[in-house]
Amino acid sequence: MKLRSMAVAATGLALAGTTLAGTAHAASSDQLTLRVTQTPVTRADAVPNGSCTPGLTRTHECQMISTGAVVLVNGRPVGEVRFIVTHEMTLQIKSRKWSENVSVGKATIIGNAGGISVGIRVSCGGPCSAANHIPQGRTLGAPFSGKVDYTDNIGAFKSHGTATKYEYTFFKPGYIQGSNAYSSASYRCDDMFAKKPGKKKARQSPGCVFPQVTPTLTGMAALPNIGPGIRAIQSRGGHYGKPGSGHPLHFLVDETKQAANRRAVCQGLKPPAGAAGPSCDEYPFAATYEGGTALPPASRGITWVPIRENNRQGGIINKFQLQQRILDRDGFWVQV
């Protein structure tokens, strides 16, 4: 029997907002088919020793894909190769350059599945560029690893979202090549804190995050009057901003609208007798889309605090925004 072609088919699988997909080549009645399968590794007992733990934070992704190929001759399996690919990407809050480590684990080869080599192409789309240092054309069997270096050239006061696409090409001597592909979690790079006219310097250098991860603000718990005030307001109504409530707050960058939010709830009011201070502190914060009178009365409120404490709160929010690269309408939690 003469084997005339090799076809590859891949299953589709959603992963962190992306889809695993494959390509296929037309095949004749006598054929060798390389059927590619892909599944994310999430079980702790399946994670190779020394590997990162699968998951996603604001700046770090560990993705593991269990992949392989079943070799079919005229529809009948004659061999299989299987291995795990580990991707560990660490974004930088204050830099447009970052890197990713990619490891192809030791392959398990059964039957007539030897001699298959693989090339891995990496791309992220402009203005992002990827320098691929993963060894190419290695025969599957022994483990190997490589690195990808990224640079993003986003302009001042601009942001964009993208993801890394990994395209695998499998080769076997004498047969047509086959391929499959999947993507990383989507990430966002921005230079929204660039130097403004009249300012001496930028608020912060450009950088990148995984925006689908909602960060948590924790510094308010240390404020003696504001912390308890937020806790009391979060305990009623829609529990806005409280982790687990399903209602995160969303950052508002427009300073004119922030000022309007403050006036809407504090203007004309005077502290009651025995108040901790003369400063009206509102929750949800004025610098959120939930601030002012956007929410029903049961879900918002004010606390009278010392001016110094209110100023300290402003510094905590500003630091949190920069540390997490919080942009307009980004969601966040407030843990008190």
Side-chain angles (χ1 to χ4, degrees):
M1 175 180 65
K2 183 179 181 181
L3 303 181
R4 301 198 191 108
S5 63
M6 178 175 74
V8 176
T11 59
L13 180 67
L15 179 65
T18 63
T19 300
L20 302 180
T23 61
H25 298 279
S28 61
S29 58
D30 291 339
Q31 60 179 295
L32 182 151
T33 301
L34 193 62
R35 187 179 68 205
V36 180
T37 60
Q38 303 161 320
T39 55
V41 176
T42 56
R43 297 189 346 266
D45 61 349
V47 175
N49 291 333
S51 298
C52 56
T53 301
L56 191 67
T57 70
R58 192 74 172 175
T59 57
H60 180 265
E61 179 190 36
C62 177
Q63 179 180 206
M64 291 186 184
I65 301 296
S66 177
T67 186
V70 178
V71 182
L72 305 175
V73 175
N74 290 335
R76 298 182 61 185
V78 297
E80 180 179 7
V81 60
R82 192 148 203 89
F83 56 96
I84 292 176
V85 185
T86 303
H87 300 269
E88 186 169 15
M89 181 186 296
T90 303
L91 304 177
Q92 299 297 319
I93 290 290
K94 299 180 182 180
S95 176
R96 31 172 114 238
K97 294 184 178 182
W98 71 97
S99 62
E100 174 187 13
N101 294 317
V102 180
S103 300
V104 175
K106 181 179 179 181
T108 299
I109 300 172
I110 302 172
N112 186 26
I116 298 175
S117 60
V118 64
I120 306 173
R121 182 172 178 265
V122 181
S123 59
C124 58
C128 174
S129 60
N132 185 359
H133 306 295
I134 304 170
Q136 304 296 310
R138 289 287 184 92
T139 300
L140 293 172
F144 63 93
S145 62
K147 186 179 180 182
V148 182
D149 292 320
Y150 296 89
T151 302
D152 193 273
N153 292 311
I154 189 66
F157 303 108
K158 294 183 178 180
S159 69
H160 76 104
T162 188
T164 298
K165 184 178 182 180
Y166 311 99
E167 298 176 275
Y168 288 68
T169 304
F170 295 89
F171 304 88
K172 189 173 176 67
Y175 301 99
I176 299 172
Q177 68 187 43
S179 62
N180 65 297
Y182 56 89
S183 297
S184 71
S186 59
Y187 45 88
R188 180 186 69 201
C189 295
D190 77 88
D191 192 13
M192 296 299 290
F193 306 120
K195 179 179 176 296
K196 292 182 178 180
K199 299 293 184 179
K200 292 183 178 180
K201 61 180 182 179
R203 288 182 65 195
Q204 185 156 275
S205 303
C208 308
V209 295
F210 293 107
Q212 60 271 48
V213 176
T214 304
T216 301
L217 173 62
T218 59
M220 300 296 158
L223 301 179
N225 298 287
I226 291 176
I230 292 175
R231 192 157 48 246
I233 297 167
Q234 284 185 341
S235 68
R236 52 185 171 81
H239 314 290
Y240 281 83
K242 185 177 182 179
S245 68
H247 298 295
L249 301 184
H250 296 85
F251 198 77
L252 170 67
V253 301
D254 190 314
E255 294 181 357
T256 299
K257 293 181 179 179
Q258 291 178 14
N261 282 345
R262 292 189 187 93
R263 289 194 301 270
V265 295
C266 289
Q267 185 167 302
L269 298 181
K270 294 182 179 181
S279 185
C280 175
D281 179 71
E282 70 284 351
Y283 184 85
F285 312 127
T288 66
Y289 281 87
E290 292 75 20
T293 56
L295 299 180
S299 295
R300 54 185 168 86
I302 62 172
T303 305
W304 293 96
V305 303
I307 294 174
R308 183 177 179 181
E309 185 175 343
N310 214 343
N311 290 338
R312 185 182 171 193
Q313 180 196 50
I316 291 172
I317 294 175
N318 179 69
K319 183 178 180 181
F320 174 70
Q321 181 194 11
L322 296 178
Q323 286 179 335
Q324 301 294 331
R325 301 204 74 89
I326 306 288
L327 303 186
D328 194 55
R329 296 189 183 277
D330 274 3
F332 66 97
W333 305 106
V334 182
Q335 176 67 62
V336 289

